[in-house]
Every structure is written in C-alpha cells, then in structure tokens.
C-alpha cells in the first residue's frame, strides 16, 4: 500500500533528521534538504508524464505553504514546549483533520475501517509521546519547558497546517502526474528559507549533516510521491491516517539502530498501529 510507503519514508526521514539535529539545528537541515528535493522532482516529473493543470498546481502550492508553515511552527513549539505534549497533539491533528475533511467530502469507510482509523489515532498519540529526559534538559540548558499559550497556538497551528497539506494534495488531479509535487516542494522551500532567515539559521552544511540532509531530500520525495498517488487511489481519511503513523518507523529505527529505550506507551502504540493498518486494509 502506497500510504505505508509514505509513512515509512517520512519515518526514516525523521530518523535521519534526528541524527543530523544532534550536530546542527533542524532548520539548517531542511534548508538544504528541501531545495534538493525540488531538484529531484524536477528531474523525475518529466519522466512520469502528466499535464500540469492550473488547479492542481495551485493545490500543490497551497500544500507547500501549509507544510512549510507546519515545519516552522513545529520547531518553534519544540524550542519552548515539552516534546511529550507538543508531538502527540500535533500528530493527532495531522491524522484527525483529513478524517473530518473526508467525512464532509462524503467519504464513508466501512465499519471495520472506521474502527481501524480510531485505533490508528490512538496509536499515533502513543507512539509520538516522549517523556522529558536528561538529554532534553541538557539541550535546553536546564530551563523548564512549559506548554504556554504561545506553545499551544504553535502546536495546534502546526498540526492543522500539516493536516490541511494532506487535504490539498488530495485535491490534485491524477492526470497532473508529479507536477503538483514540484509546486509543493518549491513553495515549502520558500517558507522554510524565510523561517531560517528570520531565525538566523540560514547556513550551509558539510560532512555528515550534509549527507544526511541529502538523504532526507530523497526520502521526502519518495514519501510525498507515494502519498500523492495514494490519495488518487483511495479515500483521504484512510490514506491520511496510515500516512500519519510515520512516528512508528522513527521509534523502531531508534530502538534497533541506536539502542534507545522506548516507553511502554510507545510499544503499545506500535502494536496498535499494526492492528489498525490490518483493519483498514481488510475493509
């Protein structure tokens, strides 16, 4: 299923991003990975074919602006707020908003799929939860991280923006090929570059962080292309929820490759994610 490919791509991309962010800030990583993804789509799109109609390109641009703002606000929320709250709240909005949009579009999944979607939403929250640890305290210099009004607004804004980015991609025409993805990556790059300039993080990379950023660019293209095609072949609600399970891949890689300990809640979330995908696919 293409939605699972997208979830895996996003999850591995976030894993690489987490490794890179241990040496440089996350914004510096995406400042490089986003424009690189634009170049990749520019090379691939003509080979895939398709007609770049105006409506699809506008939907792609809207998705790019939304996803770029989502990344900006998400990093801003993590800078001052507790990850154990920011991450799951964002994740449930990313998954939940397209489900609501799909309902208003007339989508009616079967009863098993509906149960699977509900289970997946719970899984997203559990897998995304991270308890504060010594590393977090070290990064923040020991200052307390509170879920203030500003952090809450940034968190909700980020989750909503990600959710609407999914909806905007869904609205593109199948006949447009990957051209809407080019618009999406271009617009997202413009937003991310603006945020990096504002934050004073517009600087290049070298060494391992650069290699990781390029790998993230490749994974982002794979994930977004898979998601785009998945939207054209299945319901918005179903594809979005499965695609939102990407934190499970990140957590699994961190556990297997880095030996990181994961909480019982995250383990339960990963099991629920597998069950949810099976229920949705069986419908």
């Amino acid at each position: 299923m293409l939605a699972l490919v997208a979830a895996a791509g996003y999850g591995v991309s976030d894993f690489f991003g987490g490794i890179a962010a241990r040496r440089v800030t996350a914004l510096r990583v995406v400042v490089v990975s986003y424009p690189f993804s634009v170049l990749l789509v520019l090379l691939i799109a003509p080979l895939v074919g398709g007609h770049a109609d105006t409506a699809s390109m506008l939907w792609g641009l809207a998705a790019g602006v939304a996803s770029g703002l989502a990344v900006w606000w998400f990093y801003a929320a993590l800078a001052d707020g507790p990850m154990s709250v920011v991450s799951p709240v964002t994740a449930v909005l990313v998954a939940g908003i397209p489900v609501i949009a799909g309902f208003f579009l007339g989508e009616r999944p079967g009863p098993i799929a509906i149960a699977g979607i509900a289970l997946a939403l719970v899984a997203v929250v559990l897998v995304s939860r991270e308890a504060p640890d010594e590393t977090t305290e070290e990064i923040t210099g020991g200052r307390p991280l509170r879920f203030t009004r500003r952090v809450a607004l940034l968190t909700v804004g980020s989750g909503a923006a990600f959710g609407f980015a999914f909806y905007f991609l869904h609205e593109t025409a199948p006949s447009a090929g990957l051209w809407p993805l080019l618009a999406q990556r271009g617009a997202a790059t413009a937003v991310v570059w603006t945020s990096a300039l504002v934050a004073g993080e517009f600087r290049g990379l070298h060494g391992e962080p650069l290699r990781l950023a390029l790998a993230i660019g490749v994974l982002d293209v794979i994930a977004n292309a898979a998601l785009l095609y998945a939207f054209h072949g299945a319901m918005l609600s179903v594809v979005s929820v499965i695609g939102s399970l990407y934190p499970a891949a990140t957590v699994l890689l961190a556990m297997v490759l880095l030996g990181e300990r994961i909480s019982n809640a995250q383990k339960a979330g990963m099991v629920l994610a597998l069950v949810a995908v099976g229920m949705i696919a069986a419908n």
Side-chain angles (χ1 to χ4, degrees), residues 179-191:
W179 294 112
L181 186 58
L182 179 64
Q184 187 249 15
R185 303 312 295 171
T189 297
V191 174

Side-chain angles (χ1 to χ4, degrees), residues 12 37 48 97 99 116 146 153 157 181 186 198 276:
V12 178
S37 69
V48 175
I97 286 178
V99 171
R146 296 188 176 89
L153 290 174
L181 186 58
V198 171

Side-chain angles (χ1 to χ4, degrees), residues 123-144:
V124 167
V125 175
L126 291 176
V127 173
S128 301
R129 287 194 65 85
E130 293 187 30
D133 53 26
E134 295 178 358
T135 301
T136 302
E137 293 177 0
E138 180 181 344
I139 292 173
T140 60
R143 64 183 173 84

Side-chain angles (χ1 to χ4, degrees), residues 2-271:
L2 288 173
L4 282 175
V5 174
Y10 288 134
V12 178
S13 174
D14 279 1
F15 174 73
F16 285 165
I19 295 176
R22 293 180 178 182
R23 297 195 176 186
V24 298
T25 62
L27 266 179
R28 287 183 63 190
V29 175
V30 294
V31 159
V32 174
S33 66
Y34 272 42
F36 181 62
S37 69
V38 173
L39 294 177
L40 290 176
V41 177
L42 191 59
L43 291 173
I44 298 171
L47 302 177
V48 175
H51 172 65
D53 63 280
T54 302
S56 292
M57 295 302 286
L58 289 175
W59 283 118
L61 286 172
V65 172
S67 60
L69 288 174
V71 169
W72 185 355
W73 294 339
F74 183 64
Y75 290 153
L78 288 179
D80 295 318
M83 184 179 291
S84 58
V85 179
V86 172
S87 185
V89 171
T90 301
V92 77
L93 286 170
V94 174
I97 286 178
V99 171
I100 296 172
F103 178 82
F104 282 104
L105 289 173
E107 294 183 355
R108 297 295 183 271
I112 296 179
I114 291 176
I117 288 172
L119 201 61
L121 291 174
V122 176
V124 167
V125 175
L126 291 176
V127 173
S128 301
R129 287 194 65 85
E130 293 187 30
D133 53 26
E134 295 178 358
T135 301
T136 302
E137 293 177 0
E138 180 181 344
I139 292 173
T140 60
R143 64 183 173 84
L145 299 176
R146 296 188 176 89
F147 198 67
T148 61
R149 175 183 172 84
R150 176 179 177 275
V151 172
L153 290 174
L154 288 169
T155 300
V156 172
S158 175
F162 269 128
F164 279 109
F166 278 11
Y167 168 71
F168 296 151
L169 280 181
H170 173 267
E171 291 301 297
T172 61
S175 60
L178 290 180
W179 294 112
L181 186 58
L182 179 64
Q184 187 249 15
R185 303 312 295 171
T189 297
V191 174
V192 165
W193 277 12
T194 300
S195 66
L197 286 170
V198 171
E201 296 289 347
F202 196 86
R203 286 175 287 169
L205 299 175
H206 57 84
E208 184 184 20
L210 175 59
R211 291 190 292 272
L212 288 170
L214 297 179
I216 290 169
V218 173
L219 289 166
D220 279 349
V221 171
I222 293 172
N224 281 286
L227 192 70
L228 183 65
Y229 283 118
F231 279 139
H232 294 158
M235 287 185 285
L236 169 65
S237 54
V238 171
V239 172
S240 297
V241 168
I242 294 178
S244 299
L245 292 172
Y246 62 87
T250 307
V251 171
L252 182 61
L253 286 172
M255 179 180 66
V256 174
L257 298 182
L258 301 181
E260 292 188 3
R261 291 180 297 176
I262 64 174
S263 67
N264 290 330
Q266 288 176 309
K267 293 177 183 177
M270 293 173 71
V271 173

